[in-house]
Amino acid sequence: MEAFAIQPREMTCHTILRAAHEAFLRDVDRLAAAVAAGKGRAAHVRAGWENFKDLFRAHHDLEDRVLWPRVERAVGGRRVELAVLAEVRAEHARLEPLIVRVDAVMEQDGGDLRPAVAELRAALEVYLRHEETGALPLAESVLADEEWRALAEEARRRCEARTPMFVPWVVDGIAPIERSRFLTALPAPLRDLNRVMWEPHYRKRRLWSV
Ligand SMILES: [Fe+2]
Protein backbone atom coordinates (compact mmCIF):
# COMPACT_ATOMS: atom_id res chain seq x y z
CA MET A 1 0.00 0.00 0.00
CA GLU A 2 2.93 2.33 0.52
CA ALA A 3 3.10 1.78 -3.16
CA PHE A 4 0.14 3.95 -3.83
CA ALA A 5 2.11 6.79 -2.37
CA ILE A 6 4.68 6.19 -5.08
CA GLN A 7 2.32 6.33 -8.02
CA PRO A 8 -0.58 4.26 -9.21
CA ARG A 9 -0.14 4.01 -12.99
CA GLU A 10 3.10 2.58 -14.27
CA MET A 11 3.32 0.06 -11.46
CA THR A 12 0.35 -2.00 -10.39
CA CYS A 13 -0.72 -1.99 -6.79
CA HIS A 14 -0.32 -5.75 -6.77
CA THR A 15 3.32 -5.48 -7.77
CA ILE A 16 4.09 -3.08 -4.98
CA LEU A 17 2.15 -4.93 -2.34
CA ARG A 18 3.84 -8.20 -3.21
CA ALA A 19 7.23 -6.53 -3.15
CA ALA A 20 6.48 -5.18 0.33
CA HIS A 21 5.37 -8.64 1.46
CA GLU A 22 8.64 -10.17 0.31
CA ALA A 23 10.55 -7.43 2.14
CA PHE A 24 8.62 -8.15 5.36
CA LEU A 25 9.56 -11.82 5.15
CA ARG A 26 13.17 -10.91 4.32
CA ASP A 27 13.36 -8.71 7.42
CA VAL A 28 12.03 -11.41 9.72
CA ASP A 29 14.50 -13.87 8.16
CA ARG A 30 17.28 -11.38 8.90
CA LEU A 31 16.09 -11.13 12.47
CA ALA A 32 16.02 -14.93 12.74
CA ALA A 33 19.57 -15.16 11.36
CA ALA A 34 20.82 -12.52 13.81
CA VAL A 35 19.13 -14.34 16.69
CA ALA A 36 20.67 -17.67 15.62
CA ALA A 37 24.08 -15.96 15.63
CA GLY A 38 23.47 -14.64 19.14
CA LYS A 39 23.16 -11.05 17.86
CA GLY A 40 19.43 -10.52 18.16
CA ARG A 41 19.88 -7.49 20.37
CA ALA A 42 22.69 -5.79 18.40
CA ALA A 43 22.05 -2.10 17.74
CA HIS A 44 21.60 -2.33 13.97
CA VAL A 45 19.42 -5.42 14.33
CA ARG A 46 17.16 -3.54 16.70
CA ALA A 47 17.11 -0.63 14.26
CA GLY A 48 16.08 -3.07 11.49
CA TRP A 49 13.36 -4.46 13.73
CA GLU A 50 12.04 -0.98 14.57
CA ASN A 51 11.97 -0.12 10.87
CA PHE A 52 10.15 -3.37 10.09
CA LYS A 53 7.49 -2.61 12.70
CA ASP A 54 6.94 0.90 11.43
CA LEU A 55 6.51 -0.15 7.78
CA PHE A 56 4.53 -3.25 8.64
CA ARG A 57 2.06 -1.34 10.78
CA ALA A 58 1.70 1.42 8.19
CA HIS A 59 1.10 -1.17 5.46
CA HIS A 60 -1.59 -2.98 7.41
CA ASP A 61 -3.17 0.18 8.70
CA LEU A 62 -3.71 1.20 5.08
CA GLU A 63 -5.07 -2.18 4.13
CA ASP A 64 -7.40 -2.38 7.12
CA ARG A 65 -8.61 1.20 7.01
CA VAL A 66 -8.45 2.07 3.33
CA LEU A 67 -8.32 -0.97 1.03
CA TRP A 68 -10.46 -3.66 2.68
CA PRO A 69 -13.37 -1.32 3.52
CA ARG A 70 -13.60 -0.37 -0.17
CA VAL A 71 -13.50 -4.01 -1.20
CA GLU A 72 -16.16 -4.84 1.41
CA ARG A 73 -18.42 -2.14 -0.01
CA ALA A 74 -17.77 -3.31 -3.56
CA VAL A 75 -18.71 -6.94 -2.89
CA GLY A 76 -22.00 -5.86 -1.31
CA GLY A 77 -23.52 -8.66 0.73
CA ARG A 78 -21.77 -11.55 -1.03
CA ARG A 79 -20.95 -13.87 1.83
CA VAL A 80 -18.11 -15.89 0.31
CA GLU A 81 -16.15 -12.74 -0.57
CA LEU A 82 -16.87 -11.14 2.79
CA ALA A 83 -15.56 -14.28 4.49
CA VAL A 84 -12.26 -13.98 2.57
CA LEU A 85 -11.86 -10.43 3.85
CA ALA A 86 -12.87 -11.33 7.39
CA GLU A 87 -10.29 -14.08 7.43
CA VAL A 88 -7.50 -11.78 6.27
CA ARG A 89 -8.46 -9.23 8.90
CA ALA A 90 -8.47 -11.92 11.59
CA GLU A 91 -5.05 -13.21 10.52
CA HIS A 92 -3.72 -9.68 10.59
CA ALA A 93 -5.06 -9.19 14.12
CA ARG A 94 -3.23 -12.35 15.21
CA LEU A 95 0.12 -10.96 14.05
CA GLU A 96 0.25 -7.94 16.31
CA PRO A 97 0.49 -9.96 19.57
CA LEU A 98 3.34 -11.96 18.01
CA ILE A 99 5.20 -8.74 17.24
CA VAL A 100 4.59 -7.49 20.76
CA ARG A 101 5.91 -10.80 22.10
CA VAL A 102 9.18 -10.44 20.14
CA ASP A 103 9.48 -6.94 21.59
CA ALA A 104 8.89 -8.22 25.11
CA VAL A 105 11.49 -10.99 24.82
CA MET A 106 13.97 -8.56 23.29
CA GLU A 107 13.70 -6.47 26.44
CA GLN A 108 14.40 -9.47 28.70
CA ASP A 109 18.02 -9.98 29.54
CA GLY A 110 18.95 -13.41 28.19
CA GLY A 111 15.43 -14.21 26.98
CA ASP A 112 15.35 -16.73 24.11
CA LEU A 113 14.12 -14.92 21.02
CA ARG A 114 14.08 -17.98 18.77
CA PRO A 115 10.58 -19.32 19.50
CA ALA A 116 8.97 -15.87 19.32
CA VAL A 117 10.66 -15.05 16.01
CA ALA A 118 9.87 -18.48 14.54
CA GLU A 119 6.21 -18.14 15.46
CA LEU A 120 6.04 -14.67 13.92
CA ARG A 121 7.72 -15.90 10.72
CA ALA A 122 5.30 -18.77 10.30
CA ALA A 123 2.19 -16.67 10.95
CA LEU A 124 3.45 -13.87 8.71
CA GLU A 125 3.97 -16.18 5.77
CA VAL A 126 0.54 -17.76 6.13
CA TYR A 127 -1.08 -14.36 6.34
CA LEU A 128 0.77 -12.81 3.40
CA ARG A 129 0.23 -15.76 1.07
CA HIS A 130 -3.41 -15.86 2.01
CA GLU A 131 -3.75 -12.17 1.25
CA GLU A 132 -1.98 -12.59 -2.09
CA THR A 133 -4.04 -15.56 -3.23
CA GLY A 134 -7.42 -14.48 -1.85
CA ALA A 135 -8.00 -10.90 -0.80
CA LEU A 136 -5.80 -9.08 -3.31
CA PRO A 137 -7.13 -10.90 -6.40
CA LEU A 138 -10.61 -10.17 -5.03
CA ALA A 139 -9.73 -6.48 -4.72
CA GLU A 140 -8.39 -6.45 -8.27
CA SER A 141 -11.56 -8.02 -9.56
CA VAL A 142 -14.08 -5.75 -7.84
CA LEU A 143 -12.45 -2.31 -7.66
CA ALA A 144 -12.75 -0.07 -10.70
CA ASP A 145 -9.87 2.10 -11.91
CA GLU A 146 -11.50 5.08 -10.28
CA GLU A 147 -11.48 3.30 -6.91
CA TRP A 148 -7.80 2.47 -7.26
CA ARG A 149 -7.07 6.10 -8.09
CA ALA A 150 -8.94 7.25 -4.97
CA LEU A 151 -7.06 4.67 -2.93
CA ALA A 152 -3.78 5.83 -4.37
CA GLU A 153 -4.54 9.41 -3.43
CA GLU A 154 -5.47 8.50 0.12
CA ALA A 155 -2.40 6.32 0.48
CA ARG A 156 -0.23 9.11 -0.89
CA ARG A 157 -1.54 11.46 1.80
CA ARG A 158 -0.93 8.93 4.54
CA CYS A 159 2.40 7.50 3.39
CA GLU A 160 4.26 10.25 1.61
CA ALA A 161 6.69 10.72 4.46
CA ARG A 162 7.70 7.05 4.33
CA THR A 163 8.40 6.85 0.59
CA PRO A 164 12.12 7.80 0.93
CA MET A 165 12.50 4.85 3.29
CA PHE A 166 10.15 2.48 1.52
CA VAL A 167 11.81 2.43 -1.91
CA PRO A 168 15.36 1.48 -0.86
CA TRP A 169 13.99 -0.88 1.79
CA VAL A 170 11.83 -2.82 -0.65
CA VAL A 171 14.70 -3.40 -3.09
CA ASP A 172 17.28 -4.17 -0.39
CA GLY A 173 18.88 -7.51 -1.22
CA ILE A 174 16.43 -8.58 -3.91
CA ALA A 175 17.55 -10.26 -7.13
CA PRO A 176 19.02 -7.79 -9.66
CA ILE A 177 16.29 -8.49 -12.19
CA GLU A 178 13.55 -7.83 -9.63
CA ARG A 179 15.32 -4.72 -8.42
CA SER A 180 15.63 -3.37 -11.91
CA ARG A 181 11.99 -4.21 -12.68
CA PHE A 182 10.81 -2.39 -9.57
CA LEU A 183 12.98 0.68 -10.01
CA THR A 184 12.36 1.12 -13.72
CA ALA A 185 8.62 1.10 -13.05
CA LEU A 186 9.01 4.15 -10.82
CA PRO A 187 8.53 7.61 -12.30
CA ALA A 188 11.94 8.94 -13.36
CA PRO A 189 12.11 11.74 -10.74
CA LEU A 190 11.53 9.24 -7.90
CA ARG A 191 14.06 6.83 -9.39
CA ASP A 192 16.63 9.64 -9.46
CA LEU A 193 15.82 10.66 -5.90
CA ASN A 194 16.25 7.08 -4.82
CA ARG A 195 19.65 6.80 -6.47
CA VAL A 196 21.00 10.13 -5.29
CA MET A 197 19.46 10.45 -1.82
CA TRP A 198 17.23 7.72 -0.52
CA GLU A 199 19.41 4.68 -1.11
CA PRO A 200 22.66 6.28 0.17
CA HIS A 201 20.81 7.38 3.29
CA TYR A 202 19.26 3.92 3.72
CA ARG A 203 22.66 2.21 3.39
CA LYS A 204 24.16 4.49 6.02
CA ARG A 205 21.64 3.18 8.52
CA ARG A 206 23.13 -0.35 8.11
CA LEU A 207 19.89 -1.97 9.17
CA TRP A 208 20.33 -5.59 10.30
CA SER A 209 24.13 -5.50 10.21
CA VAL A 210 25.77 -7.30 13.14
FE1 LIG B 1 -0.44 -6.70 2.68
Side-chain angles (χ1 to χ4, degrees):
M1 294 288 293
E2 297 81 356
F4 299 132
I6 295 168
Q7 56 75 45
R9 288 187 190 140
E10 291 87 344
M11 187 182 278
T12 69
C13 295
H14 245 116
T15 303
I16 302 169
L17 289 169
R18 282 176 193 273
H21 289 177
E22 294 308 313
F24 290 134
L25 288 171
R26 176 210 65 210
D27 273 4
V28 177
D29 284 343
R30 286 177 174 176
L31 176 60
V35 168
K39 308 276 189 181
R41 293 173 179 81
H44 293 297
V45 173
R46 293 187 81 130
W49 172 243
E50 291 302 318
N51 186 66
F52 165 86
K53 286 189 295 178
D54 178 57
L55 292 176
F56 185 79
R57 285 169 175 156
H59 175 97
H60 288 290
D61 191 58
L62 274 169
E63 288 182 341
D64 287 347
R65 292 174 191 269
V66 180
L67 177 58
W68 306 141
R70 282 178 185 272
V71 181
E72 279 156 359
R73 279 197 297 277
V75 301
R78 298 207 299 272
R79 279 195 290 178
V80 173
E81 284 89 341
L82 287 174
V84 169
L85 296 170
E87 208 164 329
V88 167
R89 281 183 183 278
E91 284 172 356
H92 176 211
R94 283 198 285 276
L95 285 168
E96 186 58 29
L98 299 178
I99 289 173
V100 169
R101 185 166 155 236
V102 170
D103 263 340
V105 180
M106 219 176 243
E107 293 309 317
Q108 291 164 15
D109 233 3
D112 185 1
L113 275 161
R114 282 172 299 182
V117 173
E119 202 179 340
L120 172 63
R121 175 65 170 77
L124 181 64
E125 177 145 31
V126 167
Y127 165 69
L128 295 175
R129 299 305 175 223
H130 205 174
E131 184 181 308
E132 288 168 6
T133 56
L136 286 176
L138 174 62
E140 291 275 324
S141 71
V142 298
L143 295 182
D145 286 353
E146 219 164 273
E147 287 270 10
W148 285 112
R149 274 194 289 276
L151 271 164
E153 181 51 32
E154 192 163 350
R156 189 191 61 74
R157 277 202 307 275
R158 286 169 173 251
C159 293
E160 204 158 30
R162 286 189 177 86
T163 303
M165 182 64 208
F166 178 79
V167 174
W169 169 81
V170 88
V171 297
D172 178 9
I174 66 174
I177 190 162
E178 297 297 329
R179 173 188 166 82
S180 149
R181 190 174 293 151
F182 188 90
L183 293 177
T184 52
L186 291 176
L190 293 195
R191 198 162 57 239
D192 290 345
L193 272 172
N194 182 59
R195 192 184 68 251
V196 174
M197 292 176 64
W198 299 346
E199 208 151 45
H201 178 71
Y202 177 85
R203 290 208 177 108
K204 262 191 210 153
R205 294 181 67 192
R206 297 177 53 215
L207 300 181
W208 303 109
S209 66
V210 293

